Amino acid sequence: MKRIAWGITGSGDLIKETYDTMVDIKKKSDIEIMVFLSKEGETVMKWYRMWNDIQKDFPNFKTDAGPNSPFIAGPLQVGYYDALIVAPTTSNTVAKIVYGIADTLVTNVVAQTAKGKTPIYILPVDQKRGTVKTVSPEGRVMELKMREIDVTNTEKLAQMENITVLERPDDLYDILGISKD
């Protein structure tokens, strides 16, 4: 059995698609998924009316009580988990990771995991220059313009050791060896 740690940040963009993918992977496999949320990840789950879902689908999820609480970095660093997934990931979290700021649960977990051999997979929401369409909590389609600094930071993230940048939630099937169909 594989074990993965899945961190959720405060991104509303791609949250529904990522969540649905992870629930599907859980149903199709014997992968043990430990979920942890940043403070803003918790806010977004509530705002998008997914709080009850996560309590039902991943009842042992953990919430941010500080950069090292709950203690997740150690087990990741020593290989207890087979992978760390952070998806979706805000531009704020990406910037902190790129510049070595480890002052939140998610950024500290990435920083400490990168020192070991456990692979890290990150799905940034700000990946390509131009505009993207996303959906608000009310279901309204919105168009957002990506900031140059955010796209540049995603490019820098892709160059970091032990980190693989994912392009879309469906990439999770491939990295975990699960058939989508």
Side-chain angles (χ1 to χ4, degrees), residues 60-72:
N60 295 323
F61 71 93
K62 301 170 185 344
T63 56
D64 187 335
N68 212 24
S69 181
F71 187 62
I72 298 167

Side-chain angles (χ1 to χ4, degrees), residues 85-124:
I85 296 168
V86 182
T89 312
T90 63
S91 59
N92 184 56
T93 298
V94 168
K96 286 183 174 194
I97 293 167
V98 166
Y99 290 98
I101 301 169
D103 65 347
T104 68
L105 179 61
V106 172
T107 57
N108 186 53
V109 165
V110 171
Q112 299 311 311
T113 302
K115 295 176 183 180
K117 295 181 180 176
T118 304
I120 303 166
Y121 301 94
I122 299 178
L123 176 63

Side-chain angles (χ1 to χ4, degrees), residues 7-117:
I8 301 172
T9 71
S11 173
D13 188 22
L14 299 178
I15 187 59
K16 182 74 172 129
E17 298 89 336
T18 302
Y19 188 84
D20 290 347
T21 298
M22 292 302 284
V23 168
D24 190 46
I25 287 169
K26 181 181 175 191
K27 288 178 183 173
K28 291 180 176 177
S29 72
D30 65 347
I31 296 174
E32 180 184 314
I33 303 171
M34 188 277 296
V35 181
F36 63 101
L37 293 90
S38 70
K39 289 178 183 175
E40 296 310 319
E42 181 177 343
T43 299
V44 166
M45 293 301 287
K46 290 175 180 175
W47 200 41
Y48 275 76
R49 296 173 194 86
M50 297 171 68
W51 189 245
N52 290 338
D53 296 334
I54 198 166
Q55 291 181 48
K56 174 179 57 82
D57 297 325
F58 301 97
N60 295 323
F61 71 93
K62 301 170 185 344
T63 56
D64 187 335
N68 212 24
S69 181
F71 187 62
I72 298 167
L76 275 156
Q77 201 173 44
V78 300
Y80 178 79
Y81 292 99
D82 298 296
L84 168 61
I85 296 168
V86 182
T89 312
T90 63
S91 59
N92 184 56
T93 298
V94 168
K96 286 183 174 194
I97 293 167
V98 166
Y99 290 98
I101 301 169
D103 65 347
T104 68
L105 179 61
V106 172
T107 57
N108 186 53
V109 165
V110 171
Q112 299 311 311
T113 302
K115 295 176 183 180
K117 295 181 180 176

Side-chain angles (χ1 to χ4, degrees), residues 47-48 133-144:
W47 200 41
Y48 275 76
K133 290 189 189 228
T134 189
V135 180
S136 73
E138 299 82 26
R140 184 174 48 92
V141 175
M142 305 181 313
E143 194 168 283
L144 303 175

